[in-house]
């Protein structure tokens, strides 16, 4: 584990949130309150009250801001984006041990609106990444037809695709087929030369 459990969870939430947008996935998957509820359930948020249209608007704004961090070309740009995100929230750090996890820090007040929850915890997770000198772990999928984001938490920083089952498999199959075509193109020439 590179970061603490709660930081890695918050980074996974950021990735999921960014990838709900058309800019990353090609289609909007967070277009209304049902999509927002699904996002909250999928990411097992605790202490989230009734969701409103105001929550949706705030989350959509945060999604764009988080995506800007992934697209930042350098550390100062990422720092500026992250500081704007966490600076707009009245952070209230406190220790908690909910849902079977040991003690960890939440940066939002209990009962805070979803937007504050995301801005505080996810913004701080991104801040930890930058502070650790690991900005290059925030990536966009390398598949040519994919714009989804990922956080490379592998030890040797080798993760290239948003999902090894989809983009990763497609790219490996394409590379295999290209090698087969190349080998097939070489075979007749070798046989002709032998005659």
């Amino acid at each position: 584990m590179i970061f603490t459990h709660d930081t890695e969870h918050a980074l996974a939430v950021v990735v999921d949130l960014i990838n709900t947008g058309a800019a990353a996935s090609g289609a909007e998957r967070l277009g209304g309150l049902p999509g927002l509820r699904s996002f909250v359930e999928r990411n097992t948020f605790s202490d989230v009250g009734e969701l409103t249209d105001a929550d949706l608007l705030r989350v959509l704004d945060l999604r764009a801001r988080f995506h800007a961090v992934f697209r930042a070309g350098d550390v100062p740009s990422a720092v500026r984006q992250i500081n704007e995100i966490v600076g707009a929230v009245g952070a209230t750090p406190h220790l908690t041990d909910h849902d079977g996890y040991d003690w960890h820090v939440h940066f939002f007040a209990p009962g805070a609106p979803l937007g504050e929850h995301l801005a505080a915890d996810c913004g701080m997770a991104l801040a930890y990444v930058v502070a650790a000198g690991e900005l290059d772990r925030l990536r966009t999928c390398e598949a040519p037809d994919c714009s989804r984001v990922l956080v490379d938490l592998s030890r040797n920083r080798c993760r290239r695709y948003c999902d090894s089952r989809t983009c990763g498999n497609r790219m490996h199959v394409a590379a295999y087929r290209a090698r087969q075509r190349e080998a097939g193109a070489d075979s007749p020439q070798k046989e002709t030369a032998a005659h």
Side-chain angles (χ1 to χ4, degrees):
M1 186 180 291
I2 297 168
F3 300 103
T4 61
H5 166 267
D6 49 317
T7 299
E8 288 189 7
H9 179 264
L11 292 170
V13 168
V14 169
V15 166
D16 185 30
L17 178 59
I18 294 169
N19 288 337
T20 65
S25 301
E28 178 60 58
R29 296 183 320 165
L30 200 64
L33 289 177
L36 185 58
R37 282 186 204 99
S38 176
F39 169 75
V40 167
E41 290 169 12
R42 186 170 60 247
N43 289 287
T44 60
F45 286 100
S46 60
D47 199 22
V48 173
E50 185 65 30
L51 296 170
T52 66
D53 288 331
D55 291 316
L56 178 63
L57 290 175
R58 176 69 173 131
V59 169
L60 292 174
D61 175 63
L62 281 169
R63 179 177 69 188
R65 291 172 173 269
F66 289 146
H67 203 176
V69 173
F70 276 72
R71 290 188 258 175
D74 53 45
V75 171
S77 298
V79 167
R80 189 171 43 259
Q81 293 288 336
I82 293 167
N83 282 342
E84 287 177 10
I85 293 167
V86 296
V89 178
T92 311
H94 66 280
L95 286 164
T96 183
D97 67 341
H98 63 89
D99 298 328
Y101 294 106
D102 287 334
W103 292 106
H104 59 279
V105 178
H106 279 187
F107 292 93
F108 58 93
L114 180 61
E116 285 184 30
H117 179 142
L118 287 169
D121 269 8
C122 296
M124 288 304 299
L126 291 169
Y128 287 140
V129 170
V130 172
E134 303 286 351
L135 181 62
D136 62 336
R137 290 185 182 274
L138 306 180
R139 301 183 179 165
T140 300
C141 182
E142 289 184 21
D145 58 344
C146 185
S147 298
R148 294 170 55 93
V149 300
L150 62 110
V151 177
D152 181 1
L153 295 176
S154 66
R155 245 187 255 173
N156 60 358
R157 301 169 189 255
C158 64
R159 186 167 173 207
R160 299 172 51 202
Y161 305 112
C162 63
D163 186 344
S164 61
R165 291 179 308 254
T166 55
C167 288
N169 277 347
R170 277 188 307 108
M171 297 309 295
H172 289 115
V173 167
Y176 171 79
R177 288 181 179 157
R179 286 191 305 272
Q180 293 299 316
R181 279 192 304 275
E182 187 176 300
D186 290 343
S187 292
Q189 292 172 356
K190 289 178 184 176
E191 289 176 18
T192 305
H195 283 54

